[in-house]
Amino acid sequence: MYHGLNYTIEQVVKEKGIPKETLIDAIQEAILSASKKKFGNHLDLEARYNDELSEVEIFQFKTVVEEVNEPDSEISLEEAKKHDPECMVGDSIGIKMDTSKLGRIAAQTAKQVMLQKVRNAESDVIYNEYKGKIGDIVTGIIQRIEKNHYVVNLGKTDAIMSFKETIPSENYRQRDRIKGYVLEVEKNQKGCTIQLSRTHPGFLKRLFELEVPEIQEGIIKILAAAREPGERAKISVYSEDPDVDPIGACVGVKGSRVQAVVQELRGEKIDIIPWHKDPAKFVCNTLAPARVSKVYLNEEEHAMEIIVNDDQLSLAIGKKGQNVRLASKLTGWKIDISSESELEKSSKKVIDELMEGLEVSEILARVLHDEYLRDAFDIAKLSPEELNKITSISIEDCARIIEKARDLAKKAKKEETTV
């Protein structure tokens, strides 16, 4: 029943990529399980794969004794010598059993255990292979469409692509070819689950890597990517070599490289932004084609107030706020955009309040406003030395302004508590 296994093992090893030792262990365990079911769990049994005979042998181990009291675990010296002439009392010897006595049910058990082991081993092989592919692009065929996801055949295994992970305008049918970004690889009771995505920013970065040899070679780096899938995306690029133009390389001759990516992403518009180490300049680059007039930096809150001419405001913000949203995602800075006239209106109110509350000149109030020190609470936190560095007025005047700010802050807090 278990003869001629070598051929089967070789086939499974070849087709499934499972190590031979893993398969042999699974077969031995399966036959042992079936043997114990047939002959009894209490017996000391062992399964060994005989490569030469191409079969699994079952051995029952017994202790050699002068007088047998427990026939299931003991054997007389006289009987034992028939199996091993050199054995002595106290030795443990294995006696080969006749596995032809294993019935149909036991054989079924063996088959089930073996299949389960093979499935587990196959799952391990797939898990180990695809775990290393997280963040890579794979190609597959849509096998079937389920309630909220596609099942994608990758050749050796299937992957899942949730509808949420596809570009909104996309609609796939059975047998369609599809590219996906390996998002997650998880091991579970059913085997191995591979999650794919087409909306992840990493998918965009990888597509450019496939199209642009300079990225593969490490000359050009994509430092960040932000997307609103199917609509618009921004990537920031940097060249390690000053002679290589990162934007030109990503765009390609007559836009060939960027167009290949756009096509794969169903017409998603892609802005390629030159990275800059100065965060203010970098943010200004991300808002192009809008022209920026002024930038107010608030490092503590990791925020920037961007001022543009009135005619540039809608361009900087973008359709439904898309341009500024993507710029914020790409740079990691919180970005507020105002027009010159809006700024003048809001800043005049703040400057007037600072002049009145702190009893300072308009010039000093403007300096405080431009340094993001726009209310009593912000100024009250400073030391006279810190305020002196910002304003260049005397330490004594700085101390007086801070004291005034603290009084205003206390008064405001008291009024808040009363309300």
Side-chain angles (χ1 to χ4, degrees):
M1 177 167 52
Y2 303 109
H3 295 237
L5 278 173
N6 270 349
Y7 177 74
T8 309
I9 289 168
E10 293 303 334
Q11 286 296 105
V12 175
V13 168
K14 196 173 169 185
E15 286 171 25
K16 306 286 186 185
I18 298 167
K20 189 175 180 180
E21 299 71 32
T22 306
L23 206 54
I24 287 169
D25 285 347
I27 293 166
Q28 285 176 172
E29 198 176 319
I31 307 304
L32 183 62
S33 171
S35 300
K36 287 194 169 186
K37 202 162 188 175
K38 172 69 179 172
F39 302 117
N41 263 319
H42 62 291
L43 301 182
D44 185 6
L45 303 180
E46 194 177 293
R48 290 178 193 164
Y49 181 68
N50 187 323
D51 204 42
E52 283 178 25
L53 297 174
S54 184
E55 66 174 70
V56 176
E57 298 173 320
I58 296 289
F59 292 91
Q60 182 181 1
F61 282 83
K62 292 185 177 185
T63 306
V64 179
V65 292
E66 291 284 1
E67 193 179 330
V68 176
N69 292 316
E70 297 287 340
D72 283 344
S73 59
E74 295 173 341
I75 186 170
S76 68
L77 182 60
E78 186 187 343
E79 190 63 34
K81 283 190 179 287
K82 292 177 186 174
H83 299 279
D84 179 3
E86 292 179 15
C87 71
M88 296 162 64
V89 171
D91 285 353
S92 177
I93 68 163
I95 300 145
K96 189 175 173 181
M97 298 186 78
D98 181 7
T99 50
S100 64
K101 290 178 182 174
L102 291 179
R104 188 176 57 80
I105 294 168
Q108 277 298 108
T109 306
K111 190 179 176 185
Q112 279 164 7
V113 172
M114 192 166 83
L115 284 172
Q116 188 55 49
K117 287 283 174 185
V118 168
R119 271 197 293 271
N120 291 348
E122 194 179 354
S123 173
D124 287 346
V125 168
I126 289 163
Y127 176 79
N128 292 330
E129 182 183 340
Y130 281 91
K131 189 76 182 164
K133 288 186 179 180
I134 289 176
D136 283 349
I137 289 176
V138 291
T139 304
I141 307 280
I142 301 286
Q143 189 86 350
R144 60 184 186 277
I145 300 158
E146 302 207 340
K147 197 169 93 174
N148 57 2
H149 65 266
Y150 295 104
V151 175
V152 183
N153 182 270
L154 301 176
K156 284 183 185 175
T157 187
D158 287 344
I160 284 168
M161 187 182 287
S162 160
F163 293 161
K164 287 188 297 182
E165 297 296 336
T166 60
I167 295 164
S169 60
E170 289 181 320
N171 206 356
Y172 290 100
R173 290 176 299 185
Q174 220 172 347
R175 291 190 289 279
D176 278 355
R177 206 166 176 74
I178 188 172
K179 275 182 183 165
Y181 177 82
V182 182
L183 198 59
E184 264 180 19
V185 180
E186 286 178 343
K187 247 202 292 199
N188 49 44
Q189 287 179 327
K190 289 182 180 178
C192 178
T193 305
I194 300 162
Q195 302 272 3
L196 302 181
S197 171
R198 286 176 59 81
T199 60
H200 195 278
F203 185 50
L204 172 65
K205 288 163 89 170
R206 282 295 191 188
L207 286 170
F208 268 103
E209 199 174 293
L210 293 173
E211 292 296 331
V212 183
E214 292 88 340
I215 296 174
Q216 292 168 33
E217 290 159 19
I219 299 166
I220 291 171
K221 286 186 164 49
I222 296 179
L223 298 180
R227 292 176 69 192
E228 295 207 346
E231 291 185 38
R232 196 167 180 185
K234 288 181 188 284
I235 61 165
S236 61
V237 292
Y238 170 76
S239 176
E240 296 279 359
D241 183 343
D243 295 331
V244 176
D245 169 23
I247 295 172
C250 291
V251 170
V253 180
K254 293 181 182 174
S256 58
R257 290 172 177 177
V258 72
Q259 276 314 309
V261 177
V262 168
Q263 206 172 340
E264 180 61 46
L265 299 179
R266 303 293 185 265
E268 198 169 301
K269 290 184 181 71
I270 301 167
D271 300 332
I272 303 167
I273 316 288
W275 178 82
H276 202 286
K277 62 181 176 184
D278 178 341
K281 281 186 180 169
F282 182 35
V283 167
C284 291
N285 288 347
T286 64
L287 292 169
R291 291 187 305 279
V292 174
S293 307
K294 295 186 194 111
V295 178
Y296 295 109
L297 210 77
N298 184 343
E299 296 230 9
E300 198 180 309
E301 290 180 23
H302 208 63
M304 283 191 210
E305 189 176 358
I306 304 289
I307 311 303
V308 296
N309 285 335
D310 290 33
D311 64 344
Q312 296 287 301
L313 185 63
S314 60
L315 193 60
I317 292 170
K319 187 181 169 188
K320 295 179 183 172
Q322 193 179 65
N323 196 45
V324 67
R325 223 172 20 249
L326 284 170
S328 185
K329 274 189 204 172
L330 190 76
T331 59
W333 284 77
K334 186 186 170 202
I335 302 169
D336 286 319
I337 299 182
S338 305
S339 67
E340 295 275 12
S341 56
E342 282 174 340
L343 174 73
E344 195 49 51
K345 208 182 290 177
S346 63
S347 59
K348 190 176 185 317
K349 188 185 173 206
V350 173
I351 288 161
D352 287 349
E353 284 171 1
L354 288 170
M355 286 166 66
E356 189 186 330
L358 301 174
E359 296 172 10
V360 295
S361 68
E362 186 181 343
I363 292 170
L364 188 53
R366 278 195 181 274
V367 170
L368 294 172
H369 173 275
D370 291 352
E371 288 293 331
Y372 257 96
L373 297 166
R374 295 178 182 178
D375 63 35
F377 289 97
D378 290 333
I379 296 159
K381 289 177 195 169
L382 299 174
S383 67
E385 289 74 20
E386 285 170 329
L387 190 57
N388 167 259
K389 273 185 190 173
I390 294 164
T391 62
S392 300
I393 59 173
S394 71
I395 294 282
E396 293 75 19
D397 282 344
C398 288
R400 182 188 62 76
I401 290 166
I402 289 165
E403 198 53 48
K404 194 82 181 158
R406 283 175 183 163
D407 289 343
L408 287 171
K410 274 180 200 168
K411 193 179 171 188
K413 214 168 188 181
K414 201 174 180 183
E415 281 172 9
E416 230 175 75
T417 314
T418 312
V419 173

